[in-house]
């Protein structure tokens, strides 16, 4: 239900969104939820406040994320349960992974100046 | 009997000075007498629990050695754990009438240990909330003051333990849902490291954060319970980790001389209420008297925890709760022209306002064009917070923090602005983001309301924080305090 198209692709990255009722309606539709006019207005106001809480994340500088572990499977391979060699998650991964030898989840570098 | 610790009840059962049936009937009577005031229990398994208790008594008469440490001890279960033979609703209309065909692993572990399940506890709907005001079963009230919230989302479990309606309960903690209600109700509760207790059969809210744990009066009781609840679970291999030992009880009774405890400067700057601060200082003095030393530490990125958590949790919730569409289980609307309308109407009728709010937040943050800015960014901030703690572990063994910014707040206090409610989680959330173990224990009172203190440990090191809390509780009596009307 989250696989929706761009809700408003012209919004600049991490610019503050000004929610209006039409915007809320679109998100609610993508969430498969029907809203009464009162709840729509309530959610608009709530989401605006929540946006204020989330927005400070924009100021935090972190390394860019590279989706190195994604492996595209085509439908026939999935349908026939064809074995596909998984990628080596430990080699240069940018995702955290569980390390059997230490019993810890290993976390990759995050900050640009992290050593 | 209801003032006894789990160890004391277990000893009495072993000595046969009382039977499991007597214990079970005693707590059922207390639930029937007191629960109408606090609304902590949503389902009482009256006959089934007595049947279970009688079976334990029969087994004890035949071969006492075959029984586990917890045989005959009553347990209340938060309503987000799947249990056979009784409803599992997550306190939501969306799951009204649902009975699980299987037990969650934590429940089957408790049953294997011989625990007697008394019933299910009220909670914030789908574990979303910090006040237990978001429940289809109605608000839970704090036994210390009925005009105050018990905290949430495991508010029913915490209120029930505080009112001595059961010696033990299960809770779950996604952003503080065991520790904050434990703090508000003056009991002890531990959120273990992510992976210690299997999540199998715990209805998912935010899968990368959800963790089950025990709630009881004392750290010793929690250690006994955790020893039975924790296990490696082949049905949940991804997030259930094999450990060398699951016996946390045996690891109590070590002195804490030389234990280094960190005080994050971000957490001990300004409490507003001097009396709250005094409780913290008194607890520090007690631990110093036991030989622990304290140093100030820096966790510079925890200030971003609310933004990161309220991105990650709603995103995962939006995805997890997509399954509740009226099609397979749960509430289905009566009239709809198309299947899409049926999904949307069933969900709209089933979910409460806070759940809808978080689903919409999550869908928005995950939508195309925003996911990198929100979800990925939040995951990176989560890593920064982990790094902060990793750095702290170079210098200290335990980190101390308040459980909440204040004592239990008033009912409806934050109903007008959800973000003010979210800010109440500021001290508990970093632990979930970093997947660490942390417990909350009572350390005093302000205006006759309990004050909670958190002890945070290294990943997989539940034993150290449980032992530290146990040593503190051997010197103090705060964990024995019971609200006046429930003695």
């Amino acid at each position: 239900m989250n696989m929706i198209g761009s809700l408003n692709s012209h919004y600049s990255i991490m610019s503050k969104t000004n929610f209006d009722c039409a915007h809320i309606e679109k998100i609610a539709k993508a969430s498969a939820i029907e809203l009464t006019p009162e709840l729509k207005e309530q959610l608009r106001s709530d989401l605006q406040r929540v946006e204020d809480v989330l927005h400070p994340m924009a100021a935090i500088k972190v390394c860019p994320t590279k989706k190195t572990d994604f492996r595209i499977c085509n439908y026939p391979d999935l349908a026939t349960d064809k074995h596909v060699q998984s990628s080596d998650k430990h080699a240069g991964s940018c995702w955290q992974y569980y390390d059997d030898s230490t019993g810890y989840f290993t976390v990759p570098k995050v900050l640009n100046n992290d050593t | 009997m209801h003032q006894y610790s789990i160890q004391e009840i277990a000893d009495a059962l072993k000595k046969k000075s009382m039977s499991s049936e007597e214990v079970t009937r005693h707590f059922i009577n207390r639930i029937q007498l007191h629960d109408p005031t606090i609304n902590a229990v949503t389902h009482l398994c009256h006959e089934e629990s007595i049947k279970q208790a009688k079976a334990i008594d029969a087994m004890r008469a035949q071969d006492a050695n075959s029984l586990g440490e917890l045989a005959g001890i009553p347990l209340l279960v938060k309503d987000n754990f799947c249990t056979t033979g009784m409803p599992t609703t997550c306190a939501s209309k969306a799951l009204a009438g649902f009975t699980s065909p299987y037990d969650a692993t934590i429940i089957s572990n408790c049953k294997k240990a011989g625990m007697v399940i008394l019933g299910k506890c009220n909670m914030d709907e789908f574990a979303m909330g910090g006040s237990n005001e978001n429940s289809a079963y109605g608000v839970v009230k704090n036994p210390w003051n009925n005009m105050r919230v018990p905290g949430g989302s495991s508010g029913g479990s915490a209120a029930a333990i505080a009112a001595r309606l059961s010696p033990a309960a299960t809770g779950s903690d996604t952003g503080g849902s065991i520790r904050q209600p434990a703090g508000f109700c003056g009991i002890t509760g531990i959120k273990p490291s992510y992976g210690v207790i299997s999540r199998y059969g715990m209805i998912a809210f935010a899968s990368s954060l959800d963790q089950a744990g025990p709630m009881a009066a004392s750290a010793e009781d929690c250690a006994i319970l955790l020893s039975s609840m924790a296990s490696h679970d082949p049905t949940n291999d991804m997030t259930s980790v094999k450990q060398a030992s699951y016996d946390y009880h045996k690891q109590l009774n070590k002195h804490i001389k030389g234990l280094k405890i960190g005080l994050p400067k971000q957490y001990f700057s300004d409490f507003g209420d001097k009396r709250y601060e005094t409780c913290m200082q008194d607890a520090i003095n007690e631990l110093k008297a036991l030989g622990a030393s304290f140093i100030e530490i820096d966790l510079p990125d925890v200030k971003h925890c609310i933004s990161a958590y309220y991105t990650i949790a709603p995103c995962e919730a939006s995805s997890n709760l997509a399954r509740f569409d009226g099609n397979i289980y749960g509430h289905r609307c009566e009239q709809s022209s198309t299947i899409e309308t049926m999904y949307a109407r069933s969900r709209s009728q089933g979910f409460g306002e806070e759940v809808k709010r978080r689903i919409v937040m999550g869908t928005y943050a995950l939508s195309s064009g925003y996911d990198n800015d929100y979800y990925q960014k939040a995951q990176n901030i989560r890593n920064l917070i982990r790094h902060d703690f990793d750095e702290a572990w170079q210098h200290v063994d335990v980190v101390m923090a308040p459980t909440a910014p204040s004592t239990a707040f008033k009912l409806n206090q934050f109903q007008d602005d959800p973000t003010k409610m979210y800010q109440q989680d500021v001290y508990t959330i970093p632990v979930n983001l970093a997947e660490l173990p942390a417990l909350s224990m009572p350390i005093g009172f302000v205006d006759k309301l309990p004050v909670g203190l958190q002890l945070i440990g290294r990943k997989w090191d539940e034993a150290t924080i449980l032992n530290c809390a146990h040593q503190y509780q051997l010197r103090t009596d705060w964990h024995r305090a019971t609200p006046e009307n429930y003695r």
Side-chain angles (χ1 to χ4, degrees):
Chain A
M1 240 166 272
N2 293 315
M3 298 301 169
I4 59 173
S6 175
L7 290 166
N8 227 332
S9 56
H10 65 267
Y11 278 97
S12 65
I13 300 302
M14 279 307 252
S15 62
K16 253 189 176 177
T17 306
N18 286 317
F19 292 99
D20 55 28
C21 282
H23 199 171
I24 296 295
E25 182 73 49
K26 275 186 186 175
I27 305 169
K29 194 174 175 193
S31 309
I33 286 175
E34 287 180 343
L35 300 177
T36 59
E38 296 79 29
L39 188 56
K40 205 181 295 175
E41 175 50 33
Q42 176 70 42
L43 277 175
R44 190 200 63 72
S45 150
D46 290 348
L47 228 61
Q48 201 66 64
R49 287 190 181 120
V50 170
E51 172 91 340
D52 292 342
V53 173
L54 304 189
H55 197 70
M57 287 197 298
I60 304 162
K61 299 275 183 277
V62 295
C63 292
T65 303
K66 291 178 190 168
K67 296 178 178 175
T68 54
D69 279 322
F70 280 0
R71 180 173 286 277
I72 309 298
C73 287
N74 60 34
Y75 177 76
D77 286 350
L78 287 173
T80 56
D81 204 18
K82 184 182 170 186
H83 177 73
V84 179
Q85 183 65 45
S86 50
S87 58
D88 182 1
K89 286 181 77 73
H90 297 209
S93 171
C94 65
W95 303 99
Q96 66 161 332
Y97 59 90
Y98 183 69
D99 186 341
D100 285 320
S101 62
T102 62
Y104 278 84
F105 286 95
T106 295
V107 181
K109 176 178 146 176
V110 177
L111 286 170
N112 277 324
N113 59 358
D114 203 6
T115 51
Chain B
M1 184 192 300
H2 51 272
Q3 298 289 0
Y4 288 179
S5 69
I6 287 175
Q7 187 65 64
E8 285 166 340
I9 298 175
D11 289 344
L13 290 172
K14 273 181 210 160
K15 285 179 200 156
K16 296 182 184 167
S17 58
M18 55 191 180
S19 68
S20 304
E21 187 184 345
E22 282 172 312
V23 174
T24 304
R25 284 190 188 279
H26 178 79
F27 283 104
I28 286 174
N29 289 342
R30 283 188 65 78
I31 292 170
Q32 287 174 329
L33 178 67
H34 293 295
D35 193 57
T37 313
I38 56 173
N39 195 29
V41 179
T42 56
H43 181 79
L44 180 61
C45 311
H46 194 155
E47 285 168 19
E48 185 54 36
S49 56
I50 289 170
K51 202 169 129 190
Q52 270 185 52
K54 281 181 177 174
I56 295 286
D57 287 335
M59 285 163 75
R60 198 181 296 281
Q62 218 168 37
D63 179 13
N65 294 331
S66 66
L67 294 174
E69 188 72 13
L70 290 169
I73 304 287
L75 173 77
L76 278 169
V77 176
K78 185 176 178 180
D79 202 20
N80 61 346
F81 293 101
C82 286
T83 42
T84 52
M86 64 189 91
T88 298
T89 70
C90 270
S92 178
K93 281 182 197 162
L95 276 174
F98 174 67
T99 300
S100 168
Y102 67 94
D103 280 326
T105 299
I106 185 175
I107 303 303
S108 51
N109 285 351
C110 290
K111 283 184 177 174
K112 266 184 232 157
M115 296 194 81
V116 174
I117 297 179
L118 295 176
K120 302 297 278 280
C121 280
N122 207 340
M123 57 182 280
D124 278 304
E125 185 180 3
F126 284 102
M128 296 180 197
S131 64
N132 224 133
E133 293 170 297
N134 312 317
S135 165
Y137 293 104
V139 173
V140 177
K141 292 176 179 168
N142 192 318
W144 290 97
N145 180 337
N146 289 342
M147 303 304 286
R148 303 276 172 160
V149 301
S153 64
S154 310
S157 303
I161 300 289
R164 302 298 191 253
L165 307 188
S166 169
T170 65
S172 67
D173 193 315
T174 305
S177 290
I178 287 176
R179 291 158 288 149
Q180 185 248 31
F184 281 5
C185 291
I187 65 156
T188 309
I190 180 167
K191 181 209 91 75
S193 310
Y194 184 78
V196 168
I197 297 179
S198 170
R199 290 189 301 112
Y200 183 74
M202 183 168 80
I203 295 174
F205 158 20
S207 308
S208 75
L209 300 159
D210 295 340
Q211 180 60 58
M215 302 173 84
S218 69
E220 185 183 27
D221 285 356
C222 284
I224 294 170
L225 290 166
L226 185 60
S227 303
S228 289
M229 290 173 175
S231 65
H232 175 249
D233 183 3
T235 60
N236 186 17
D237 221 9
M238 184 73 182
T239 57
S240 153
V241 173
K242 258 184 204 160
Q243 304 229 69
S245 168
Y246 291 102
D247 195 337
Y248 301 96
H249 191 208
K250 265 193 187 152
Q251 299 179 64
L252 301 180
N253 299 320
K254 292 176 188 162
H255 68 76
I256 60 165
K257 198 171 177 186
L259 189 79
K260 289 181 195 148
I261 302 180
L263 299 173
K265 61 182 179 188
Q266 288 79 5
Y267 290 174
F268 288 89
S269 52
D270 179 24
F271 290 114
D273 190 329
K274 197 78 188 158
R275 296 168 300 168
Y276 201 75
E277 211 172 310
T278 306
C279 286
M280 302 287 159
Q281 193 54 55
D282 289 348
I284 290 169
N285 292 342
E286 290 289 353
L287 290 166
K288 271 184 185 168
L290 286 164
S293 60
F294 286 80
I295 56 167
E296 187 180 83
I297 57 165
D298 191 12
L299 301 174
D301 296 299
V302 294
K303 61 178 177 286
H304 305 303
C305 71
I306 300 276
S307 311
Y309 176 85
Y310 279 98
T311 301
I312 294 168
C315 285
E316 295 184 9
S318 163
S319 178
N320 275 324
L321 270 61
R323 74 193 68 172
F324 302 109
D325 56 11
N327 194 29
I328 300 170
Y329 37 57
H331 170 79
R332 179 182 290 188
C333 67
E334 282 188 1
Q335 287 183 328
S336 54
S337 51
T338 65
I339 193 161
E340 287 82 9
T341 315
M342 189 274 281
Y343 289 160
R345 198 156 294 165
S346 301
R347 287 163 62 79
S348 304
Q349 290 173 1
F351 294 141
E353 200 175 301
E354 180 61 27
V355 174
K356 284 179 196 164
R357 186 184 293 126
R358 295 204 196 191
I359 289 173
V360 166
M361 276 163 62
T363 306
Y364 164 65
L366 282 178
S367 57
S368 178
Y370 292 98
D371 53 343
N372 271 334
D373 300 334
Y374 286 105
Y375 192 70
Q376 293 303 338
K377 194 71 178 270
Q379 289 290 12
N380 283 338
I381 292 168
R382 183 178 187 172
N383 285 340
L384 293 177
I385 292 171
R386 282 197 194 103
H387 278 258
D388 284 358
F389 277 105
D390 284 345
E391 182 63 28
W393 302 131
Q394 307 293 319
H395 311 287
V396 297
D397 307 304
V398 170
V399 171
M400 181 188 274
T403 303
S406 68
T407 53
F409 48 86
K410 290 176 187 159
L411 292 164
N412 300 318
Q413 189 170 330
F414 297 119
Q415 287 298 296
D416 293 341
D417 183 354
T419 59
K420 283 187 184 159
M421 181 80 88
Y422 300 165
Q423 300 289 345
Q424 300 300 307
D425 303 333
V426 66
Y427 297 132
T428 49
I429 279 173
V431 166
N432 300 78
L433 292 173
E435 303 170 351
L436 302 173
L439 63 76
S440 175
M441 61 175 179
I443 56 160
F445 287 85
V446 169
D447 291 331
K448 296 183 182 172
L449 290 167
V451 175
L453 179 82
Q454 270 190 104
L455 297 175
I456 304 165
R458 287 190 177 95
K459 190 155 184 180
W460 316 124
D461 194 10
E462 285 72 14
T464 297
I465 55 171
L466 283 165
N467 181 53
C468 184
H470 178 58
Q471 297 306 317
Y472 173 84
Q473 290 180 340
L474 287 174
R475 279 178 68 91
T476 56
D477 275 334
W478 303 116
H479 63 290
R480 294 185 199 281
T482 313
E484 200 177 326
N485 297 333
Y486 304 91
R487 285 170 193 156

